[in-house]
Structure formats: C-alpha cells, structure tokens
Amino acid sequence: MGQARAQLLASLAAIYLILAITHVTGGLTDDLEIMWGNAKVVTDSSGQQAIALTLDPSTSSAFRSKKTCQFCRIDVEIKLVPGNSAGTVTTFYMITEGAWQYHDEIDIEFLGNSTGQPYTMHTNMYARGQGGREKQYKFDFDPTQDYHKYTIIWNKDWILFFVDDKLYRQIKNNQMYGAPYPYYYPMRVYATIWNADNWATQGGQVKTDWSQAPFTAYFRNYRAISCPQFGEDNPLCLPASGWFNQQLDESRKQQMTQVDSNNKIYDYCKDPKRYKNGPPPRECGLQ
C-alpha cells in the first residue's frame, strides 16, 4: 500500500513541477495549498469553507500543508465519499521529505466500500522505512452523511489517533526496546483521494465502478499545532495543554478498550498469517 502511494506521488511529481502550486487566499488555505487534480476550495452546505478532493478516471487530487512540523497535533474535519466508493481511498497523513526507503509516515486512510457496507479506517506508521504496523477500524456512524473530526497527535512519547475526540489507537515510543518510532525528522501533512482497487476493497476483489464518478470528499476546519522537541513559548505546547506530553489516563484507556472491543477489525500484532516463520514485532508484547 505505502509503495503504491509512493509510485502515485512519483508519477504526479512531474505535473507538480510543471504547474505552479495554486495559492488561494483566506482562511483554510492560509495553512494549506492545492497540489494537483480536481482539488478546489468551495463553500459547503453549511456555508463554511472546505477543500473538495475529487477522483475521476483521468486524475486523482491532493492538497498539503505549507509547513512541516516535528511533534504536532493535526485536526481536520472530513466528509467522505457517499454511495458506492469501492476501490477509492481517501487519505489524511503525515510524511517526511526525502528518500522513500528511509521515510517516516503516520497514516489515516479511509478504504471505500460498496453501497451499504461500511468504510474501513486504516491506520499505519512508518519509521526510517519500517512499516507494517496496520490496525483497522469500523465506525458507529456513517462518515459520509456529515463531517467528523479526525486527529493525529505526535509527540516524543506517543502517536495517538482520535475520531471525534475519542481515542481509537495509540503507538508508544518503544525505541529503547528496538521498536521503530518517528522521532528525528519533521513531516508534512497531506490529503489525497485516489484509486486503489487492486487492494483497497476486500483485498482488491471489488473494483472501482467508474459510472459512479466523480468521487468527492470534503475537508474543513484544519488546524495544526507544532511543538518542537523542547517546546516553545506557544501555550498550546506546554504540558498543561493536555496533548504535547499527553499520557494515557484512565478515561483514555477505557475509550481505547471500548474501541478495541466494538470497532477494531484488524490488528497486525494478532495476524497469524504474517508471522508463520517467527514471532510478531517486539512492540506487540509491550503494549
């Protein structure tokens, strides 16, 4: 999956170099810039500014943050593609800039499905090119009917994934035990929509129905708080802010236990097919 997206990004790089990045003024695009495809700033049905990312047979689309960050909190509200979205993937992720084989990445990807079947929220992490830390979740709501807030918190101790301020997943920094963790390099935020029907829906068994195109997802209320390793004067970066040095208190642990019981549908640590020739990664025994 990660390699497929890398190839997609590489194939579109030439277009990106030829065409000037679209800089739009005001609000949402103070922090974000359109990259390619049929991506545009719109006013949604509630009157708020949003970025619409559209996929059709000829092109995908994307935007990215104008700034990188090293240790940060990223919030965005997303309304996913309604109806038959099988084969499509809508993404919201962070990635370092440099050689792919050594990249860091923190992923939220929404795997589309046939009408009436739920989306899958696919989460993953890469550190210095080491990935394969996938966990997947289903929702208790329809993410296509309205906007929902998705949050990635990345600090020196944890990566935390929230949906509507509810903790879905944590990745602890277990570097002292040899586990990979993105720690040394800043990342940039990206959002894309693209066709991945070779793997996205039921392992690639359900293909994209292009008669349903165009497929459009909407993003609004983007917020990024960047806090360097040693903090800064911004009060949102201080320990009292509740996220920069955030630990898992009892209420958060209870949230994650509930999500694991009711929403989690895949866990790389518990997939016996992946570890026929040896044990799972060491961090699986440390969580």
Side-chain angles (χ1 to χ4, degrees):
M1 176 278 302
Q3 188 64 44
R5 187 167 65 244
Q7 293 170 353
L8 172 68
L9 291 170
S11 67
L12 292 166
I15 299 174
Y16 181 60
L17 290 173
I18 294 170
L19 300 176
I21 300 173
T22 304
H23 292 276
V24 201
T25 58
L28 191 63
T29 51
D30 289 344
D31 298 313
L32 304 172
E33 57 192 8
I34 304 299
M35 291 192 70
W36 62 68
N38 189 10
K40 57 186 177 182
V41 179
V42 300
T43 300
D44 66 19
S45 58
S46 69
Q48 295 191 56
Q49 188 183 65
I51 294 180
L53 292 185
T54 296
L55 170 68
D56 59 39
S58 63
T59 185
S60 61
S61 55
F63 67 80
R64 72 177 187 178
S65 62
K66 293 180 179 178
K67 297 180 180 180
T68 61
C69 66
Q70 184 174 4
F71 303 134
C72 44
R73 172 181 177 138
I74 308 295
D75 298 281
V76 68
E77 293 180 357
I78 306 172
K79 183 163 68 171
L80 295 173
V81 178
N84 185 0
S85 58
T88 70
V89 176
T90 303
T91 71
F92 164 54
Y93 65 101
M94 305 167 64
I95 191 169
T96 52
E97 299 173 324
W100 173 259
Q101 63 267 35
Y102 303 117
H103 82 290
D104 298 342
E105 185 174 348
I106 302 170
D107 287 334
I108 294 180
E109 300 184 300
F110 303 97
L111 312 185
N113 217 329
S114 304
T115 302
Q117 299 297 315
Y119 267 83
T120 295
M121 185 177 76
H122 177 99
T123 64
N124 198 3
M125 180 273 291
Y126 286 79
R128 303 304 290 153
Q130 297 184 58
R133 269 67 184 177
E134 303 96 339
K135 291 188 181 182
Q136 297 180 343
Y137 304 86
K138 63 181 181 180
F139 295 125
D140 299 323
F141 55 85
D142 183 348
T144 73
Q145 293 301 302
D146 205 348
Y147 288 91
H148 292 269
K149 185 170 77 170
Y150 302 91
T151 301
I152 296 172
I153 291 177
W154 169 39
N155 63 37
K156 62 185 179 61
D157 297 316
W158 300 93
I159 297 168
L160 305 174
F161 299 85
F162 291 84
V163 179
D164 291 330
D165 297 317
K166 183 176 184 178
L167 180 61
Y168 269 57
R169 181 182 180 184
Q170 60 87 10
I171 301 173
K172 183 174 174 56
N173 181 354
N174 281 314
Q175 286 181 300
M176 68 177 65
Y177 300 107
Y181 189 82
Y183 195 85
Y184 300 103
Y185 301 97
M187 300 196 213
R188 193 180 299 274
V189 179
Y190 285 78
T192 64
I193 184 169
W194 56 294
N195 178 44
D197 63 6
N198 62 324
W199 68 272
T201 306
Q202 297 182 31
Q205 298 181 54
V206 182
K207 302 300 183 181
T208 303
D209 180 359
W210 291 108
S211 70
Q212 303 295 312
F215 304 98
T216 302
Y218 297 88
F219 298 74
R220 73 180 188 190
N221 289 335
Y222 173 87
R223 184 181 75 158
I225 306 170
S226 178
C227 297
Q229 181 175 354
F230 300 105
E232 58 181 25
D233 293 336
N234 186 340
L236 293 174
C237 294
L238 299 175
S241 70
W243 79 266
F244 180 56
N245 291 312
Q246 185 164 21
Q247 302 295 319
L248 297 187
D249 59 21
E250 286 305 314
S251 65
R252 293 302 191 194
K253 291 178 182 178
Q254 290 174 9
Q255 284 182 359
M256 201 163 59
T257 297
Q258 183 184 49
V259 167
D260 282 351
S261 297
N262 300 329
N263 304 91
K264 188 166 69 175
I265 55 178
Y266 179 80
D267 185 336
Y268 76 101
C269 286
K270 299 178 181 179
D271 184 352
K273 296 179 181 179
R274 297 181 66 160
Y275 310 115
K276 293 180 180 179
N277 300 318
R282 187 174 182 184
E283 72 265 17
C284 292
L286 299 172
Q287 294 181 22

